[in-house]
Each structure stands twice: as structure tokens, then as C-alpha cells.
Amino acid sequence: MELTIPVTAKEFESAGSKFITFPANAKVGDVQYRDVEIGQVDWDTPGQSIKFPVTVTESGADEGKKDKISCGVKPEAVWKLKEVLRELGVEVKIVNGKPKFETDELTGMAVVGVWTMQEGYKGGDETAEKVRYPKLTALVKSKPETII
């Protein structure tokens, strides 16, 4: 029997998971690195979190995939934003007692995205099945050197 798939050849060829490719036997905590370019940094949820959108620029199965890292701005969560800005060499100024940084210097910046294999409940629902998925957990200036 022959089945005709109701998509165009172009749609079929470009189809792929939205997630970064990990080996099939990846365990929770495993890490993958990809060269990425940062898009326009902006509020994810105004007053609560800032997003750093990225596009994978490294050639291969993940090229062109989009993701984001979101950093909270409340006192108990702002550590992640501070970590990302420090790693990327972004100057933070204190103006009228509040930290500020310029987002334009980040747009188009070539950096490395760090994805970590996570485990959680599907859709965040604790009654649902547990699933594994890659999550963008950090942005760094370069890939770590491999020690042989």
C-alpha cells in the first residue's frame, strides 16, 4: 500500500521538531551547545520577566530553530538576569536607584546557547505524564573547551 501525505514536498523537507536535537539516550542534566544570535530583548511579561530570543545559526539539524531564555526581575529571581548580563559583558547602570541596561547592544550578538535536558509534567500538570525536553538554560560567550 502507498500513502500520500497531505503536505508539499517543501513542507515535508523542512519539517522538524521545534526542540534542539539531543541524542536519543540523553539523560536529565545532559547539555548541548549551539551557536545562536540574540534577537530583540524585551519584556516577556511586563514588570515580571525579560526574554532573550535566540535563533540557532550553527549549521546542522537545528539551524534556524528559535527559542528564548526568560529571566525574572523580582528580587527573588533577578539573579538569572544578572548572570546572563554579566556573562555577555553587558554594562548595567544604576539610575535613580534602579538597574538599567541597553538592549540594543544585544540584538544580533553572536553567542552560544546552552540547552539542558529537563524532566517535568506535560503542560505543567502534575497529574499528566512526565516528559523529557531540552530547555535553553544559559547564554555564554563561547563553548567550553574539550579536554582530551
Side-chain angles (χ1 to χ4, degrees):
M1 176 169 63
E2 188 175 89
L3 297 176
T4 301
I5 304 166
V7 296
T8 67
K10 184 177 179 180
E11 289 167 332
F12 185 77
E13 289 302 317
S14 67
S17 170
K18 69 177 184 174
F19 294 112
I20 293 299
T21 306
F22 267 71
N25 61 349
K27 295 184 257 347
V28 172
D30 286 357
V31 175
Q32 291 284 309
Y33 300 89
R34 298 289 184 279
D35 295 330
V36 299
E37 182 176 285
I38 300 174
Q40 179 61 54
V41 175
D42 199 357
W43 290 107
D44 200 2
T45 303
Q48 292 193 26
S49 60
I50 294 173
K51 64 182 172 187
F52 291 75
V54 300
T55 302
V56 176
T57 57
E58 187 171 313
S59 62
D62 298 320
E63 186 173 12
K65 288 185 180 179
K66 297 180 183 302
D67 207 338
K68 70 176 179 177
I69 189 167
S70 187
C71 303
V73 298
K74 298 291 184 186
E76 65 277 4
V78 77
W79 64 269
K80 185 66 176 180
L81 176 62
K82 183 178 177 183
E83 180 182 274
V84 170
L85 295 173
R86 182 182 299 143
E87 175 64 33
L88 300 181
V90 176
E91 181 184 3
V92 177
K93 297 177 183 175
I94 304 299
V95 179
N96 297 325
K98 302 281 185 180
K100 287 183 132 183
F101 69 99
E102 179 55 58
T103 63
D104 290 345
E105 69 181 271
L106 290 162
T107 304
M109 184 183 279
V111 297
V112 174
V114 181
W115 279 264
T116 306
M117 186 58 74
Q118 308 273 311
E119 185 174 77
Y121 295 101
K122 194 171 189 175
D125 177 359
E126 292 186 16
T127 63
E129 68 177 309
K130 275 194 171 181
V131 292
R132 289 189 180 167
Y133 58 94
K135 181 176 181 179
L136 180 59
T137 55
L139 297 173
V140 296
K141 282 292 210 180
S142 61
K143 293 179 183 174
E145 293 186 29
T146 303
I147 300 171
I148 298 175

